[in-house]
Amino acid sequence: MIRTYSSTSGRFDWTGFLFAVVLAIVIAVPLLVVFTWAFTEIWRYPAVIPQKFGLRFWNQTLSRADVWDALSISLQLSATVTALSALICLPAAYAFARMKFPGRDLFFLSFLASHAFPKFGLLVAIAAIFLQLNLIATFWGVVLIQLVGTLMLMIWIPVAAFQAVDRRMEEAARDVGAGPLRVFWSITLPQAGPTIFAAVLLTFVSTFYETEGAWLIGAPQIRTMPVLMINFINNQVVIQYGAVLSVILWVPSFIALMFARRVIGTGAFAKGFGA
Amino acid sequence: MARLTIESLRKFFASTVAVDDFSLDVADGELVCLLGPSGSGKSTILRMIGGFEQPTSGAIRIDGQDVGRLSPDRRPTGMVFQSHALWSHMNVFNNIAFGLKLRHLPRAEIRRKVEAALELVGLGGYGHRQTFQLSGGQQQRVALARSLVLEPKILLLDEPFASLDQHLRERLREEVRDIQQRLGITTLFVTHGQDEALALADRIVVLRNGQCEQADAPDVIYRNPQTQFVAGFIGQMNFIAANVEGGTFRHPEMSVAIGAQDGPAVLAVRPEALGLVAAEGGAGVTVVRSTDFGSHIMVDVELSDGTRLKAMTSPAMRWERGTRARLVPSAYALYRDNKLVVSGTVGASTAAPAFGAAPLVV
C-alpha cells in the first residue's frame, strides 16, 4: 500500500518507511493483540506466541445470556434511533438543501451545537433532567440521548446529497407531469439514495457503538453491547471475554465503513460543511 | 395544432430586469429561434413559458388559454434541457415512459408509444440501455423523445446542442428540424449560436438586454438588420464610424453619398459587399492580413484611424501584407443610435435591400 521507493531518484524513502512503521505499530498491533487474545486458550508469560489456540472462549462468551440480551437491546436501540433520526432529519435536510426560509443558517448550525460542548458535561446535565422525567434506565431515555448524537451526521450528509441532485432533473420531471411529491419520491430520493443510505448506515453503526450516553442514562437496566464489553474488560479476570466481544463488535463497523467509503471519498462531508 | 402568444412579458430578478416588455406570436407549426448573447433573457423567456419561472407581469397564452400561472406539470409544453437532464437511475425506456406512466396509460400502449418515440429519434432498440452508456448526442435524442412522447402542444428547446461537438451539432439540428416539420409541432428554440438559428428557424428573434431587437425570417435578419446590434451579431460585419455632412458619409478612406441627416453615424458593410482595388502611391488603406479560405480570401485592412475591416475577395487576386488598397463598397446600411437610418447600394442610394439581391422591403 505504501510506496517506499520514490519514483524520481530511486533511493529508499526512509521518511515514508518510518511513517509506515509507526502507523503499523499504532494501528495494527493493538488489533493484532485483541485478535490473538480472542482465539487464545492459554497464553502465559513470557511466551510471545500463545501456547494454545482455540475457540473455547467463543463458545463460552456466546453461551452467556447477558451477551445475547445486550445484542438484542443494542440492535433494537440502533434500529429505533436510526429510524427516528431519518424521520426527523431527512425532511429537514431536504428543506435545508432546497428551500430558503428565515433563520436557515441558524437552524442549520443548531444541529451542530450538540457537538460543540464537552459531551460528558452535556450528558450529565441531561441525565439530571431525565431523572426528574423518570427516563433514567429506560429504553426511550437511551433512545432520546442517542438521537441527539446522530442529528449532525443525519443532517449534514443528506443535505449534501440533496444539493448534489441536478435541479434540471427535477424540472424535467415536473415538465412531464409529475407533482412536487412525485418528483421527490421518483427522482430526488433515488438520485440522493446511495449517499443517504451511507448516512443511515453510519448512523446505525455510531449508535451501535455509542457508550457514554447508553451507560449514563441506561444503567443498570439497559445494557448495550459496548457497555457490556467495558464491564467484561473492567471486571473479569479472563481477558478473552472482552477480546471475543471486541472482535464481534468490530465486524459490523468494518462492513459499514466499507459501504460508507465511497460516500466519504466523493467529498460528501466537505460539501455538507460548505453548505 | 397550437399557437403561442406572449404579451408584454416582464421578469425582474431582485433589481435587475431580465425580460422587458417582450411580445411574440408563434404560429402553429412554426419554429422560432430566440437568439442572443448570454444574459439577454432568452432562457428566462423559455423557462417562463415552461413554467419554471413566474413572470413579473404579462401573459402567456397557448391556443388562447392563459397558462401563465400554471405549474410546469399542468402545462402542455415539453422542454429539452441543455444538460439533457436524463434520470440516471432509470434506463432509456423508463425515462421516456415516466410521463406516460403518470398519465396511467395501459402498459401495452406505453410500450408502443415509447418504441415509436425511440424510432422517431433514430434510437430504435435502445430502450434497455442505461442513460450513462449513451453518447452525448444519443442522450440528447432520448431527452427529445422523452418530451415528444407526451405530444406537447409547444416544444421548448433550451440550447440542446450546446454541449455537443460541432459535427454532431450540425447533424442533430438537421434531424431535429426534420422531426419538427414531420410532426408539425410548434417549437421555440433558444440558442446563442447564429449558425444554428439561421439553419433551423422559420423566424429568428434577436434579443438584447431582455428586449426584442428584431423578429424576422433568417434571410431578412441577415440582409436587412434593423439595428446596429443585429447587424453586428448575425454574420460578419464591418462598422465604420464617421460624420454625415451634406448628404455624404465622410471618412478619409471611404466616402459614400447617402440620403441621411447630418451628424455622427455608423456605416455597416458586409465583407462580401466590400471590394478592394489596388491604390497607387501611399493612398488608401493598409492590408494587414490575408487569409485563404479556399472558396474566397478574407483580407483584413486597417484604416488610418485604426479601424479594422474585413473584405471578402476572389482567390484570383493576392493581397500581400502592407499593400495599399482603396475600398469599394457595393452595399451598405447606415445606423444612428442603434437604429437603421438608410440602406442602399452604392451609386443608387435607395430603399433597396442592403446586402444582396433578394427583393426585400426594409
Side-chain angles (χ1 to χ4, degrees), chain A residues 166 168-169 171-179 182 186-187 190-191, chain B residues 47 52 71 73 77-79 81 85-89 102-103 146 150:
Chain A
D166 185 359
R168 298 280 180 264
M169 280 192 197
E171 287 181 348
R174 290 304 300 274
D175 197 51
V176 300
R182 184 66 200 237
S186 294
I187 309 296
Q191 283 288 324
Chain B
R47 288 175 59 77
F52 301 108
S71 59
D73 45 321
T77 54
M79 182 120 152
F81 296 85
L86 293 178
W87 305 305
S88 51
H89 59 289
L102 291 175
R103 284 160 179 72
R146 182 173 67 181
L150 301 170

mmCIF file of all heavy atoms in Angstrom, chain A residues 166 168-169 171-179 182 186-187 190-191, chain B residues 47 52 71 73 77-79 81 85-89 102-103 146 150:
data_model
loop_
_atom_site.group_PDB
_atom_site.id
_atom_site.type_symbol
_atom_site.label_atom_id
_atom_site.label_comp_id
_atom_site.label_asym_id
_atom_site.label_seq_id
_atom_site.Cartn_x
_atom_site.Cartn_y
_atom_site.Cartn_z
ATOM 1 N N ASP A 166 -29.142 17.161 -9.540
ATOM 2 C CA ASP A 166 -29.278 18.173 -10.587
ATOM 3 C C ASP A 166 -30.715 18.704 -10.610
ATOM 4 O O ASP A 166 -31.662 17.947 -10.770
ATOM 5 C CB ASP A 166 -28.926 17.532 -11.937
ATOM 6 C CG ASP A 166 -28.920 18.542 -13.070
ATOM 7 O OD1 ASP A 166 -29.199 19.731 -12.799
ATOM 8 O OD2 ASP A 166 -28.632 18.150 -14.215
ATOM 9 N N ARG A 168 -32.128 20.347 -12.852
ATOM 10 C CA ARG A 168 -32.734 20.154 -14.172
ATOM 11 C C ARG A 168 -33.476 18.823 -14.232
ATOM 12 O O ARG A 168 -34.490 18.697 -14.905
ATOM 13 C CB ARG A 168 -31.662 20.211 -15.261
ATOM 14 C CG ARG A 168 -30.934 21.539 -15.339
ATOM 15 C CD ARG A 168 -31.750 22.585 -16.090
ATOM 16 N NE ARG A 168 -31.060 23.865 -16.175
ATOM 17 C CZ ARG A 168 -31.251 24.871 -15.339
ATOM 18 N NH1 ARG A 168 -32.106 24.745 -14.346
ATOM 19 N NH2 ARG A 168 -30.592 26.006 -15.483
ATOM 20 N N MET A 169 -32.933 17.826 -13.507
ATOM 21 C CA MET A 169 -33.619 16.525 -13.475
ATOM 22 C C MET A 169 -34.991 16.669 -12.830
ATOM 23 O O MET A 169 -35.972 16.103 -13.299
ATOM 24 C CB MET A 169 -32.798 15.521 -12.657
ATOM 25 C CG MET A 169 -31.655 14.922 -13.407
ATOM 26 S SD MET A 169 -31.019 13.543 -12.459
ATOM 27 C CE MET A 169 -29.439 13.341 -13.245
ATOM 28 N N GLU A 171 -36.701 19.434 -12.636
ATOM 29 C CA GLU A 171 -37.540 20.246 -13.520
ATOM 30 C C GLU A 171 -38.071 19.415 -14.686
ATOM 31 O O GLU A 171 -39.223 19.564 -15.083
ATOM 32 C CB GLU A 171 -36.740 21.446 -14.036
ATOM 33 C CG GLU A 171 -36.530 22.498 -12.967
ATOM 34 C CD GLU A 171 -35.764 23.709 -13.456
ATOM 35 O OE1 GLU A 171 -35.196 23.653 -14.574
ATOM 36 O OE2 GLU A 171 -35.722 24.705 -12.741
ATOM 37 N N ALA A 172 -37.204 18.543 -15.209
ATOM 38 C CA ALA A 172 -37.639 17.686 -16.313
ATOM 39 C C ALA A 172 -38.802 16.800 -15.869
ATOM 40 O O ALA A 172 -39.735 16.549 -16.647
ATOM 41 C CB ALA A 172 -36.477 16.836 -16.809
ATOM 42 N N ALA A 173 -38.760 16.357 -14.619
ATOM 43 C CA ALA A 173 -39.847 15.514 -14.110
ATOM 44 C C ALA A 173 -41.133 16.333 -13.953
ATOM 45 O O ALA A 173 -42.229 15.868 -14.271
ATOM 46 C CB ALA A 173 -39.449 14.891 -12.775
ATOM 47 N N ARG A 174 -40.989 17.578 -13.459
ATOM 48 C CA ARG A 174 -42.169 18.454 -13.394
ATOM 49 C C ARG A 174 -42.742 18.645 -14.788
ATOM 50 O O ARG A 174 -43.947 18.635 -14.999
ATOM 51 C CB ARG A 174 -41.793 19.841 -12.825
ATOM 52 C CG ARG A 174 -41.441 19.906 -11.366
ATOM 53 C CD ARG A 174 -42.500 19.380 -10.443
ATOM 54 N NE ARG A 174 -43.794 20.067 -10.521
ATOM 55 C CZ ARG A 174 -44.117 21.152 -9.851
ATOM 56 N NH1 ARG A 174 -43.257 21.698 -9.036
ATOM 57 N NH2 ARG A 174 -45.312 21.697 -9.970
ATOM 58 N N ASP A 175 -41.832 18.807 -15.757
ATOM 59 C CA ASP A 175 -42.232 19.102 -17.129
ATOM 60 C C ASP A 175 -43.079 17.988 -17.730
ATOM 61 O O ASP A 175 -44.001 18.257 -18.483
ATOM 62 C CB ASP A 175 -40.978 19.335 -17.980
ATOM 63 C CG ASP A 175 -41.288 20.031 -19.282
ATOM 64 O OD1 ASP A 175 -41.971 21.075 -19.227
ATOM 65 O OD2 ASP A 175 -40.880 19.530 -20.337
ATOM 66 N N VAL A 176 -42.753 16.725 -17.409
ATOM 67 C CA VAL A 176 -43.539 15.630 -17.985
ATOM 68 C C VAL A 176 -44.771 15.313 -17.145
ATOM 69 O O VAL A 176 -45.474 14.344 -17.429
ATOM 70 C CB VAL A 176 -42.710 14.343 -18.190
ATOM 71 C CG1 VAL A 176 -41.545 14.596 -19.138
ATOM 72 C CG2 VAL A 176 -42.209 13.795 -16.872
ATOM 73 N N GLY A 177 -45.036 16.109 -16.105
ATOM 74 C CA GLY A 177 -46.323 15.994 -15.438
ATOM 75 C C GLY A 177 -46.295 15.509 -14.004
ATOM 76 O O GLY A 177 -47.343 15.192 -13.449
ATOM 77 N N ALA A 178 -45.118 15.441 -13.381
ATOM 78 C CA ALA A 178 -45.054 14.966 -12.002
ATOM 79 C C ALA A 178 -45.237 16.132 -11.037
ATOM 80 O O ALA A 178 -44.670 17.199 -11.238
ATOM 81 C CB ALA A 178 -43.715 14.284 -11.747
ATOM 82 N N GLY A 179 -46.019 15.912 -9.985
ATOM 83 C CA GLY A 179 -46.176 16.921 -8.941
ATOM 84 C C GLY A 179 -44.955 16.929 -8.041
ATOM 85 O O GLY A 179 -44.091 16.063 -8.149
ATOM 86 N N ARG A 182 -44.248 13.668 -6.107
ATOM 87 C CA ARG A 182 -43.852 12.609 -7.024
ATOM 88 C C ARG A 182 -42.393 12.809 -7.462
ATOM 89 O O ARG A 182 -41.627 11.849 -7.571
ATOM 90 C CB ARG A 182 -44.786 12.629 -8.241
ATOM 91 C CG ARG A 182 -44.541 11.513 -9.217
ATOM 92 C CD ARG A 182 -44.872 10.187 -8.570
ATOM 93 N NE ARG A 182 -44.216 9.113 -9.279
ATOM 94 C CZ ARG A 182 -44.847 8.073 -9.810
ATOM 95 N NH1 ARG A 182 -46.138 7.963 -9.669
ATOM 96 N NH2 ARG A 182 -44.180 7.150 -10.446
ATOM 97 N N SER A 186 -39.729 9.992 -6.865
ATOM 98 C CA SER A 186 -39.241 9.244 -8.027
ATOM 99 C C SER A 186 -37.887 9.716 -8.555
ATOM 100 O O SER A 186 -37.214 8.987 -9.259
ATOM 101 C CB SER A 186 -40.255 9.327 -9.177
ATOM 102 O OG SER A 186 -41.436 8.672 -8.812
ATOM 103 N N ILE A 187 -37.533 10.950 -8.267
ATOM 104 C CA ILE A 187 -36.299 11.489 -8.844
ATOM 105 C C ILE A 187 -35.284 11.845 -7.756
ATOM 106 O O ILE A 187 -34.175 11.307 -7.722
ATOM 107 C CB ILE A 187 -36.588 12.749 -9.703
ATOM 108 C CG1 ILE A 187 -37.698 12.458 -10.706
ATOM 109 C CG2 ILE A 187 -35.317 13.242 -10.367
ATOM 110 C CD1 ILE A 187 -37.378 11.409 -11.744
ATOM 111 N N PRO A 190 -34.195 8.757 -5.201
ATOM 112 C CA PRO A 190 -33.303 7.763 -5.817
ATOM 113 C C PRO A 190 -31.949 8.342 -6.198
ATOM 114 O O PRO A 190 -30.932 7.660 -6.112
ATOM 115 C CB PRO A 190 -34.067 7.326 -7.076
ATOM 116 C CG PRO A 190 -35.466 7.707 -6.852
ATOM 117 C CD PRO A 190 -35.463 8.877 -5.932
ATOM 118 N N GLN A 191 -31.938 9.608 -6.619
ATOM 119 C CA GLN A 191 -30.668 10.206 -7.006
ATOM 120 C C GLN A 191 -29.757 10.381 -5.799
ATOM 121 O O GLN A 191 -28.552 10.172 -5.872
ATOM 122 C CB GLN A 191 -30.909 11.571 -7.681
ATOM 123 C CG GLN A 191 -31.394 11.475 -9.113
ATOM 124 C CD GLN A 191 -30.320 11.021 -10.072
ATOM 125 O OE1 GLN A 191 -29.164 11.364 -9.925
ATOM 126 N NE2 GLN A 191 -30.685 10.210 -11.047
ATOM 127 N N ARG B 47 -38.016 29.567 -19.986
ATOM 128 C CA ARG B 47 -38.356 28.959 -18.699
ATOM 129 C C ARG B 47 -39.701 29.483 -18.176
ATOM 130 O O ARG B 47 -40.401 28.776 -17.466
ATOM 131 C CB ARG B 47 -37.239 29.203 -17.677
ATOM 132 C CG ARG B 47 -35.985 28.377 -17.978
ATOM 133 C CD ARG B 47 -34.836 28.690 -17.050
ATOM 134 N NE ARG B 47 -35.168 28.457 -15.653
ATOM 135 C CZ ARG B 47 -35.213 27.255 -15.089
ATOM 136 N NH1 ARG B 47 -34.944 26.191 -15.797
ATOM 137 N NH2 ARG B 47 -35.511 27.137 -13.826
ATOM 138 N N PHE B 52 -41.195 27.304 -15.298
ATOM 139 C CA PHE B 52 -40.154 27.184 -14.275
ATOM 140 C C PHE B 52 -39.800 28.527 -13.658
ATOM 141 O O PHE B 52 -39.066 28.588 -12.675
ATOM 142 C CB PHE B 52 -38.908 26.526 -14.868
ATOM 143 C CG PHE B 52 -39.193 25.168 -15.423
ATOM 144 C CD1 PHE B 52 -39.202 24.947 -16.782
ATOM 145 C CD2 PHE B 52 -39.500 24.125 -14.571
ATOM 146 C CE1 PHE B 52 -39.499 23.704 -17.293
ATOM 147 C CE2 PHE B 52 -39.798 22.877 -15.072
ATOM 148 C CZ PHE B 52 -39.792 22.656 -16.435
ATOM 149 N N SER B 71 -48.458 25.510 -12.977
ATOM 150 C CA SER B 71 -47.157 24.908 -12.684
ATOM 151 C C SER B 71 -46.740 24.059 -13.889
ATOM 152 O O SER B 71 -47.573 23.689 -14.707
ATOM 153 C CB SER B 71 -47.248 24.069 -11.414
ATOM 154 O OG SER B 71 -48.208 23.059 -11.569
ATOM 155 N N ASP B 73 -46.086 21.039 -14.476
ATOM 156 C CA ASP B 73 -46.720 19.751 -14.737
ATOM 157 C C ASP B 73 -48.132 19.893 -15.297
ATOM 158 O O ASP B 73 -48.725 18.917 -15.733
ATOM 159 C CB ASP B 73 -46.730 18.880 -13.463
ATOM 160 C CG ASP B 73 -47.165 19.661 -12.237
ATOM 161 O OD1 ASP B 73 -46.779 20.836 -12.116
ATOM 162 O OD2 ASP B 73 -47.892 19.108 -11.402
ATOM 163 N N THR B 77 -46.584 21.929 -22.408
ATOM 164 C CA THR B 77 -45.290 22.224 -23.014
ATOM 165 C C THR B 77 -44.320 21.095 -22.699
ATOM 166 O O THR B 77 -44.427 20.439 -21.679
ATOM 167 C CB THR B 77 -44.702 23.532 -22.453
ATOM 168 O OG1 THR B 77 -44.668 23.431 -21.025
ATOM 169 C CG2 THR B 77 -45.530 24.729 -22.851
ATOM 170 N N GLY B 78 -43.367 20.894 -23.592
ATOM 171 C CA GLY B 78 -42.321 19.900 -23.363
ATOM 172 C C GLY B 78 -40.970 20.567 -23.527
ATOM 173 O O GLY B 78 -40.743 21.279 -24.491
ATOM 174 N N MET B 79 -40.106 20.366 -22.535
ATOM 175 C CA MET B 79 -38.830 21.084 -22.544
ATOM 176 C C MET B 79 -37.666 20.107 -22.692
ATOM 177 O O MET B 79 -37.644 19.055 -22.061
ATOM 178 C CB MET B 79 -38.700 21.856 -21.227
ATOM 179 C CG MET B 79 -37.455 22.686 -21.135
ATOM 180 S SD MET B 79 -37.881 24.417 -20.933
ATOM 181 C CE MET B 79 -36.471 25.016 -20.048
ATOM 182 N N PHE B 81 -33.651 20.154 -22.075
ATOM 183 C CA PHE B 81 -32.673 20.993 -21.387
ATOM 184 C C PHE B 81 -31.295 20.866 -22.028
ATOM 185 O O PHE B 81 -30.975 19.869 -22.677
ATOM 186 C CB PHE B 81 -32.577 20.591 -19.914
ATOM 187 C CG PHE B 81 -33.838 20.817 -19.144
ATOM 188 C CD1 PHE B 81 -34.841 19.874 -19.140
ATOM 189 C CD2 PHE B 81 -34.030 21.990 -18.441
ATOM 190 C CE1 PHE B 81 -36.009 20.078 -18.432
ATOM 191 C CE2 PHE B 81 -35.203 22.208 -17.736
ATOM 192 C CZ PHE B 81 -36.191 21.253 -17.734
ATOM 193 N N ALA B 85 -30.506 16.351 -18.798
ATOM 194 C CA ALA B 85 -31.278 16.111 -17.560
ATOM 195 C C ALA B 85 -32.000 14.779 -17.576
ATOM 196 O O ALA B 85 -33.122 14.665 -17.096
ATOM 197 C CB ALA B 85 -32.268 17.263 -17.314
ATOM 198 N N LEU B 86 -31.371 13.761 -18.136
ATOM 199 C CA LEU B 86 -31.970 12.424 -18.072
ATOM 200 C C LEU B 86 -31.824 11.906 -16.655
ATOM 201 O O LEU B 86 -30.879 12.245 -15.953
ATOM 202 C CB LEU B 86 -31.264 11.479 -19.045
ATOM 203 C CG LEU B 86 -31.449 11.791 -20.525
ATOM 204 C CD1 LEU B 86 -30.654 10.810 -21.370
ATOM 205 C CD2 LEU B 86 -32.911 11.752 -20.920
ATOM 206 N N TRP B 87 -32.755 11.049 -16.243
ATOM 207 C CA TRP B 87 -32.709 10.486 -14.890
ATOM 208 C C TRP B 87 -31.805 9.274 -14.916
ATOM 209 O O TRP B 87 -32.155 8.231 -15.475
ATOM 210 C CB TRP B 87 -34.117 10.151 -14.429
ATOM 211 C CG TRP B 87 -35.011 11.344 -14.533
ATOM 212 C CD1 TRP B 87 -34.792 12.562 -13.960
ATOM 213 C CD2 TRP B 87 -36.231 11.466 -15.259
ATOM 214 N NE1 TRP B 87 -35.796 13.423 -14.292
ATOM 215 C CE2 TRP B 87 -36.694 12.782 -15.078
ATOM 216 C CE3 TRP B 87 -36.980 10.600 -16.038
ATOM 217 C CZ2 TRP B 87 -37.867 13.248 -15.651
ATOM 218 C CZ3 TRP B 87 -38.148 11.058 -16.604
ATOM 219 C CH2 TRP B 87 -38.585 12.362 -16.414
ATOM 220 N N SER B 88 -30.650 9.419 -14.288
ATOM 221 C CA SER B 88 -29.612 8.403 -14.437
ATOM 222 C C SER B 88 -29.934 7.122 -13.686
ATOM 223 O O SER B 88 -29.272 6.116 -13.896
ATOM 224 C CB SER B 88 -28.271 8.969 -13.971
ATOM 225 O OG SER B 88 -28.394 9.534 -12.685
ATOM 226 N N HIS B 89 -30.953 7.134 -12.810
ATOM 227 C CA HIS B 89 -31.307 5.893 -12.122
ATOM 228 C C HIS B 89 -32.364 5.100 -12.887
ATOM 229 O O HIS B 89 -32.833 4.082 -12.399
ATOM 230 C CB HIS B 89 -31.774 6.193 -10.694
ATOM 231 C CG HIS B 89 -32.967 7.107 -10.632
ATOM 232 N ND1 HIS B 89 -32.895 8.441 -10.944
ATOM 233 C CD2 HIS B 89 -34.250 6.864 -10.316
ATOM 234 C CE1 HIS B 89 -34.090 8.988 -10.809
ATOM 235 N NE2 HIS B 89 -34.935 8.049 -10.429
ATOM 236 N N LEU B 102 -47.318 8.388 -15.499
ATOM 237 C CA LEU B 102 -48.033 9.359 -14.668
ATOM 238 C C LEU B 102 -49.448 9.581 -15.188
ATOM 239 O O LEU B 102 -50.339 9.948 -14.435
ATOM 240 C CB LEU B 102 -47.287 10.697 -14.652
ATOM 241 C CG LEU B 102 -45.942 10.730 -13.920
ATOM 242 C CD1 LEU B 102 -45.281 12.076 -14.109
ATOM 243 C CD2 LEU B 102 -46.136 10.441 -12.445
ATOM 244 N N ARG B 103 -49.619 9.352 -16.491
ATOM 245 C CA ARG B 103 -50.950 9.540 -17.086
ATOM 246 C C ARG B 103 -51.768 8.256 -17.041
ATOM 247 O O ARG B 103 -52.841 8.190 -17.632
ATOM 248 C CB ARG B 103 -50.788 10.025 -18.531
ATOM 249 C CG ARG B 103 -50.405 11.501 -18.594
ATOM 250 C CD ARG B 103 -49.789 11.854 -19.936
ATOM 251 N NE ARG B 103 -49.431 13.268 -20.025
ATOM 252 C CZ ARG B 103 -48.409 13.823 -19.375
ATOM 253 N NH1 ARG B 103 -47.653 13.099 -18.587
ATOM 254 N NH2 ARG B 103 -48.156 15.112 -19.502
ATOM 255 N N ARG B 146 -38.259 11.901 -24.852
ATOM 256 C CA ARG B 146 -38.991 11.986 -23.590
ATOM 257 C C ARG B 146 -40.029 13.107 -23.634
ATOM 258 O O ARG B 146 -41.122 12.984 -23.085
ATOM 259 C CB ARG B 146 -37.988 12.233 -22.450
ATOM 260 C CG ARG B 146 -38.602 12.294 -21.081
ATOM 261 C CD ARG B 146 -37.561 12.375 -20.002
ATOM 262 N NE ARG B 146 -36.812 13.630 -20.037
ATOM 263 C CZ ARG B 146 -35.826 13.923 -19.199
ATOM 264 N NH1 ARG B 146 -35.467 13.050 -18.283
ATOM 265 N NH2 ARG B 146 -35.193 15.065 -19.288
ATOM 266 N N LEU B 150 -45.005 12.690 -25.151
ATOM 267 C CA LEU B 150 -46.213 13.198 -24.489
ATOM 268 C C LEU B 150 -47.030 14.107 -25.405
ATOM 269 O O LEU B 150 -48.025 14.674 -24.980
ATOM 270 C CB LEU B 150 -45.829 13.945 -23.211
ATOM 271 C CG LEU B 150 -45.066 13.109 -22.186
ATOM 272 C CD1 LEU B 150 -44.529 13.973 -21.075
ATOM 273 C CD2 LEU B 150 -45.964 12.027 -21.633
#
